[in-house]
Amino acid sequence: SSGINAEYGELMVIGHSKYSSLDLPWYRVLNWYFLGVANYFFFGESLTSSFRALFMDEDYLNKLANYHRFISYWLYLGGFIAFVLSLQKKKYMVQFTLFGWTHIVLLC
């Protein structure tokens, strides 16, 4: 997991280096937020399917397992809303490019 985070950080530095002079608000925070949400979704999916029997014993773990996708959706939606609120006029193209770059890197 730490290797994935380091690689992700390096790719984000490369993607942002061209636009670092633009002073984009919340760029790095949102990148790491989306990485955390993606990790929560993918690791949570594998954990809930592998350890379903263990999650049934504890009430709060059972709720997390049952509502995992719902929670993931709302976490992602919160990040998307934060991205929209951080948009600045005359920087839309750059911000959407970096937003797309972030998602491509997360999918790879």
Side-chain angles (χ1 to χ4, degrees), residues 4-108:
I4 293 170
N5 292 342
E7 292 170 9
Y8 179 77
E10 286 297 317
L11 289 171
M12 288 297 101
V13 167
I14 292 168
H16 183 62
S17 63
K18 182 177 178 183
Y19 305 108
S20 60
S21 64
L22 294 178
D23 190 35
L24 299 173
W26 298 100
Y27 170 73
R28 294 191 191 279
V29 172
L30 286 173
N31 282 335
W32 287 104
Y33 177 80
F34 282 116
L35 176 66
V37 171
N39 281 337
Y40 174 77
F41 176 73
F42 290 118
F43 288 129
E45 283 290 309
S46 63
L47 286 176
T48 55
S49 63
S50 300
F51 299 108
R52 178 64 73 178
L54 292 174
F55 289 154
M56 295 297 179
D57 294 339
E58 296 290 332
D59 187 44
Y60 72 95
L61 288 176
N62 189 21
K63 287 180 183 175
L64 278 177
N66 287 336
Y67 297 109
H68 172 73
R69 290 183 182 176
F70 182 75
I71 293 168
S72 298
Y73 169 76
W74 283 105
L75 287 172
Y76 180 83
L77 190 63
F80 183 75
I81 290 170
F83 165 74
V84 170
L85 292 175
S86 74
L87 289 173
Q88 294 180 343
K89 288 184 180 179
K90 298 184 180 179
K91 297 180 184 178
Y92 291 156
M93 185 64 140
V94 172
Q95 287 179 293
F96 275 102
T97 300
L98 292 172
F99 185 71
W101 175 258
T102 299
H103 284 75
I104 295 297
V105 169
L106 284 173
L107 291 173
C108 293

